[in-house]
Amino acid sequence: MITADRLHSVQEYYFSKKLREVRGLMNQGKPIINMGIGSPDLAPSPEVLETLRDSIMDTGAHQYQSYQGLPQLREAIADFYLQKFDVSVDPNTEVLPLMGSKEGIMHISMAFLNVGDEVLLPNPGYPTYASVTNLVGGVPRTYDLTLENGWFPDLEELSKQDLSKVKLMWVSYPHMPTGATATKEQLKTLVDFALKHEILLVNDNPYSFVLSNNPTSILSIEGAKDCTLELNSLSKTFNMAGWRVGMVLGKEEHINAVLKVKSNMDSGMFYGIQKGAVAALQSGPEWFEALDKVYTQRRELMFQLVERLGCTYDKNAVGMFVWCKLPEGAAPSEEFIDQVLYDKDIFIAPGTIFGSNGEGYIRFSLCVKEEKIKEAIERFI
């Protein structure tokens, strides 16, 4: 049986392949420390777990659920955005829960892209933007992000290009993988750019509450709803990556377009997971303070490890990663991380998996317990 042509446009996800190699080394007895993956190793709050447990006895808990999610979940998302971002959205028309924000990338692309439509993608950036664009027949067009420009696009230079075929633009602030943030003034320039060129702007925003003193939503910018959608997730903020709870927010007509795709792709999120998500979104300030305390301690240790490798980094970056520039004269990123993997039994992500502008960089995940980071440091003594 011959596979579909669209499969020729994508490769197996890097981490899918590389982790097989890492598991193979572990099976050989190698003491591998995995610092490559941003999968939270901490648990959700006890309130979230108790809510999930208690909800499974509710009437109708095991039936199909609404494609739009429970009203209580949409209201909790709207309340969260109002309290944390000062963004007002209508929970009935401007919020759509998702089974993880990653599925939202596919749904949005299917809802708005025709074959041949162009999509502006960050380089470096989340690889799924490009793979989904290819799968739906869109044409990826990368725009450069550089350290010199604060990992923010040169919109003036982009405006000089022919953008007549561009339908979507993906941005991610706080930025993955670099941890760079954007000011409200910068976000406004993005919104103005999208309005001017009639582009649907999508901000992927799952890292606002990890080591960030100033959580920001692009929807707080005046006029943003006319041209912008925002994706968010409970995976990082509430240690619920495996629960697959995300959301997309924006203008009613844009949300309805995404819903038209989503309603043909699944049959609703499990009731208990939705109830747990509501409890998570209602968490008090002590939750965020405790989370940041853990990640702050881990990051200070990770900085020590990074310095052992002779790398440089931005202490002000946010999120659950440390993005590092390799020292002068170092091997290329993928060769460098393989040397560390096979010589020191430590797996680090190479910057190149996020685009060509990631060459010369590596990325460490903070989803590693302190004792493991200390053990990694000792391997370089």
Side-chain angles (χ1 to χ4, degrees):
M1 182 64 69
I2 300 173
T3 58
D5 290 343
R6 68 176 61 88
L7 289 188
H8 301 310
S9 70
V10 295
Q11 302 294 323
E12 183 182 3
Y13 195 45
Y14 172 86
F15 284 121
S16 175
K17 292 186 295 183
K18 196 65 179 179
L19 287 178
R20 279 201 301 272
E21 180 182 342
V22 171
R23 283 193 295 270
L25 292 172
M26 294 175 72
N27 290 337
Q28 295 171 26
K30 299 289 185 180
I32 303 295
I33 300 175
N34 187 345
M35 296 182 162
I37 306 297
S39 179
D41 61 310
L42 303 169
S45 71
E47 293 80 8
V48 169
L49 299 178
E50 289 166 10
T51 300
L52 170 64
R53 181 196 63 200
D54 295 344
S55 69
I56 63 175
M57 299 305 294
D58 288 357
T59 301
H62 304 284
Q63 296 178 326
Y64 289 127
Q65 300 298 314
S66 165
Y67 300 111
Q68 294 173 281
L70 293 172
Q72 302 98 302
L73 176 55
R74 296 197 307 274
E75 289 163 6
I77 293 169
D79 288 344
F80 184 84
Y81 257 70
L82 184 61
Q83 294 170 16
K84 303 299 184 183
F85 296 121
D86 196 25
V87 169
S88 178
V89 290
D90 186 332
N92 296 313
T93 60
E94 297 180 323
V95 176
L96 181 62
L98 302 170
M99 293 183 184
S101 59
K102 191 172 185 179
E103 81 154 8
I105 298 171
M106 175 62 82
H107 292 346
I108 291 168
S109 298
M110 293 183 72
F112 292 98
L113 292 178
N114 291 316
V115 173
D117 284 341
E118 294 181 352
V119 183
L120 291 174
L121 310 171
N123 177 16
Y126 187 34
T128 298
Y129 305 145
S131 58
V132 167
T133 298
N134 283 319
L135 283 170
V136 301
V139 179
R141 258 179 80 170
T142 58
Y143 59 88
D144 288 326
L145 301 179
T146 64
L147 174 64
E148 294 71 26
N149 207 39
W151 306 106
F152 192 79
D154 186 339
L155 298 177
E156 185 176 340
E157 179 59 34
L158 264 180
S159 291
K160 296 176 183 176
Q161 302 176 19
D162 179 6
L163 303 175
S164 59
K165 294 183 179 179
V166 175
K167 191 77 173 291
L168 277 178
M169 179 178 185
W170 291 96
V171 296
S172 175
Y173 291 104
H175 183 245
M176 203 287 290
T178 69
T181 55
T183 64
K184 286 209 170 186
E185 290 75 19
Q186 287 176 311
L187 294 177
K188 185 179 187 309
T189 63
L190 281 169
V191 170
D192 291 343
F193 174 84
L195 286 169
K196 177 181 177 181
H197 296 284
E198 298 182 345
I199 295 170
L200 180 62
L201 181 68
V202 188
N203 185 45
D204 194 8
N205 187 19
Y207 295 99
S208 278
F209 295 94
V210 180
L211 296 174
S212 174
N213 295 322
N214 185 31
T216 305
S217 165
I218 199 168
L219 294 177
S220 65
I221 304 303
E222 186 177 355
K225 281 186 188 176
D226 290 332
C227 65
T228 306
L229 289 170
E230 181 158 276
L231 288 169
N232 215 317
S233 167
L234 274 62
S235 295
K236 320 298 184 183
T237 303
F238 297 105
N239 302 329
M240 295 167 67
W243 291 51
R244 309 312 303 136
V245 182
M247 64 205 78
V248 59
L249 304 94
K251 189 177 181 179
E252 180 178 2
E253 66 180 85
H254 296 155
I255 295 297
N256 285 341
V258 178
L259 177 60
K260 188 176 291 188
V261 174
K262 177 178 169 54
S263 62
N264 282 286
M265 301 292 285
D266 66 60
S267 298
M269 190 188 306
F270 176 57
Y271 174 85
I273 286 178
Q274 294 189 67
K275 296 289 282 188
V278 171
L281 289 162
Q282 294 172 344
S283 298
E286 64 280 356
W287 167 260
F288 301 94
E289 292 165 4
L291 190 69
D292 270 2
K293 182 178 179 180
V294 171
Y295 282 124
T296 296
Q297 292 169 339
R298 291 180 178 187
R299 185 170 62 175
E300 289 303 315
L301 285 171
M302 197 68 80
F303 285 162
Q304 295 180 36
L305 176 59
V306 169
E307 289 166 3
R308 296 264 179 187
L309 289 167
C311 298
T312 54
Y313 54 90
D314 178 6
K315 287 187 176 181
N316 297 317
V318 306
M320 55 175 50
F321 304 105
V322 178
W323 177 253
C324 312
K325 186 173 178 59
L326 292 173
E328 289 293 328
S333 296
E334 293 191 28
E335 186 178 329
F336 184 93
I337 69 106
D338 277 343
Q339 290 173 359
V340 175
L341 176 61
Y342 284 92
D343 293 347
K344 302 295 183 180
D345 297 320
I346 300 170
F347 173 53
I348 311 161
T352 46
I353 65 176
F354 306 104
S356 59
N357 286 345
E359 181 56 81
Y361 293 87
I362 56 176
R363 190 195 72 173
F364 292 82
S365 168
L366 297 179
C367 302
V368 186
K369 298 192 184 306
E370 287 185 45
E371 57 266 30
K372 285 296 180 181
I373 305 175
K374 291 176 181 176
E375 181 181 338
I377 293 170
E378 291 173 358
R379 295 182 186 182
F380 286 92
I381 294 175

